[in-house]
Amino acid sequence: MGRQGESSPHGRAPASGSTAVRKPSAAVYRRRRLFLGGALLLIIALVSSFAVAGAFSGKSEQASSTATTASAEPTAAASASPSASEPAPTPTPSATPGCNQNLVTVSGSTDKAAYGPGENPMLTLKVTNGGTMPCEVNIGTSQMEFLVTSGADRIFSSRDCQAKSEDLVKVIAPGASETANFPWSRTRSVEGCQPIEAKPGGGGAYYIFTAKLGSKASPKAVFQLN
C-alpha cells in the first residue's frame, strides 16, 4: 500500500471526484480539416457554376437578338436600293383605288375610209385612260370584239370563230392608250362559226365597224367597200 503523497506511475495523481478529459487526437483534427476544406470547395464550385451559367445565358440571348436584327437590315436595304452594277428598273404605274373606270374609253377605226376590190380593211380597237390615275384594264381577247354590220344585218364578229380567248390585264397610265388590230378578209360569219357562202356586197356599199371591250362599245366607224 503506497504512502500518502506518493506520485502515481504517470506523474501527478488525479484529483479526487474529477473526470479526466481527453483531447482529440491528431488524426481527428486532420479529418475535420479535410471535411471543412471539401465543403468549402463544393460551395465555391457551385457559386462559380451558377455565375458561368448566367453569363452564357445572357450572351446567347444578346447574340440571338443581334443576329435577327442584322439579318433583317440587309434584306430591307437590298430591296430599297438597286444594285450599282445593274441599271435601275423603269417604274411601272400601278392601279390605284382612285381609278375611274368610266373614264376608260373604247374607240374603233379603219385604216382607210374606202376600199377597192381585193383590199381588206384593217380594223383597230383602241383603249384610252382619260383619267388622272392609272387604271387596270383587261384588254385580252376574252373581252374584245370586232363587229361589222350593215343596217340591221350582222355581217361579221371576231368572236364567232375565235379559237380561244385569253385575259390580258394591263395597267394603263393616265392619258395612255392600248391598241389591237384585226385584218378583216371581207367574209361573213355567224355564231358558232357555221360555214356560210354569202359574202358582203361591194359596189360602194357602206358598213359600220364597232369595237367592243367588255361592256364598253366604241362610236360607229363608217367605211365603204367597192
Side-chain angles (χ1 to χ4, degrees):
M1 185 172 180
R3 291 193 296 268
Q4 187 178 2
E6 285 184 353
S7 301
S8 66
H10 296 289
R12 185 180 299 174
S16 61
S18 63
T19 304
V21 178
R22 297 182 62 183
K23 295 182 179 180
S25 65
V28 173
Y29 278 118
R30 283 195 299 271
R31 285 196 297 269
R32 288 178 179 176
R33 283 196 296 269
L34 289 173
F35 176 76
L36 292 174
L40 182 60
L41 289 174
L42 179 60
I43 292 172
I44 292 173
L46 289 173
V47 172
S48 299
S49 64
F50 281 123
V52 171
F56 274 99
S57 176
K59 287 182 181 178
S60 64
E61 289 176 3
Q62 183 178 4
S64 176
S65 62
T66 303
T68 302
T69 304
S71 65
E73 286 177 357
T75 303
S79 60
S81 58
S83 172
S85 61
E86 298 179 359
T90 304
T92 303
S94 58
T96 62
C99 164
N100 187 350
Q101 291 288 342
N102 291 328
L103 298 178
V104 176
T105 59
V106 177
S107 60
S109 62
T110 59
D111 58 334
K112 293 175 66 174
Y115 298 89
E119 288 185 317
N120 293 331
M122 178 67 73
L123 312 179
T124 299
L125 181 154
K126 185 176 182 180
V127 187
T128 304
N129 179 9
T132 58
M133 296 289 183
C135 278
E136 193 174 77
V137 183
N138 187 348
I139 58 173
T141 54
S142 62
Q143 304 298 311
M144 289 183 183
E145 183 180 10
F146 296 81
L147 178 66
V148 177
T149 58
S150 178
D153 189 6
R154 181 181 182 274
I155 304 295
F156 174 84
S157 171
S158 60
R159 299 181 69 89
D160 289 341
C161 297
Q162 186 170 280
K164 62 178 181 178
S165 62
E166 297 178 348
D167 291 329
L168 179 60
V169 178
K170 279 196 173 184
V171 176
I172 304 178
S177 300
E178 295 284 342
T179 60
N181 296 319
F182 185 90
W184 179 43
S185 57
R186 298 174 71 150
T187 58
R188 280 183 175 269
S189 69
V190 295
E191 293 183 9
C193 199
Q194 297 298 322
I196 183 170
E197 294 182 0
K199 292 186 177 182
Y206 287 92
Y207 295 85
I208 295 172
F209 164 52
T210 304
K212 292 185 176 182
L213 187 71
S215 60
K216 298 178 183 294
S218 71
K220 297 176 181 180
V222 180
F223 62 96
Q224 186 180 20
L225 294 180
N226 292 310

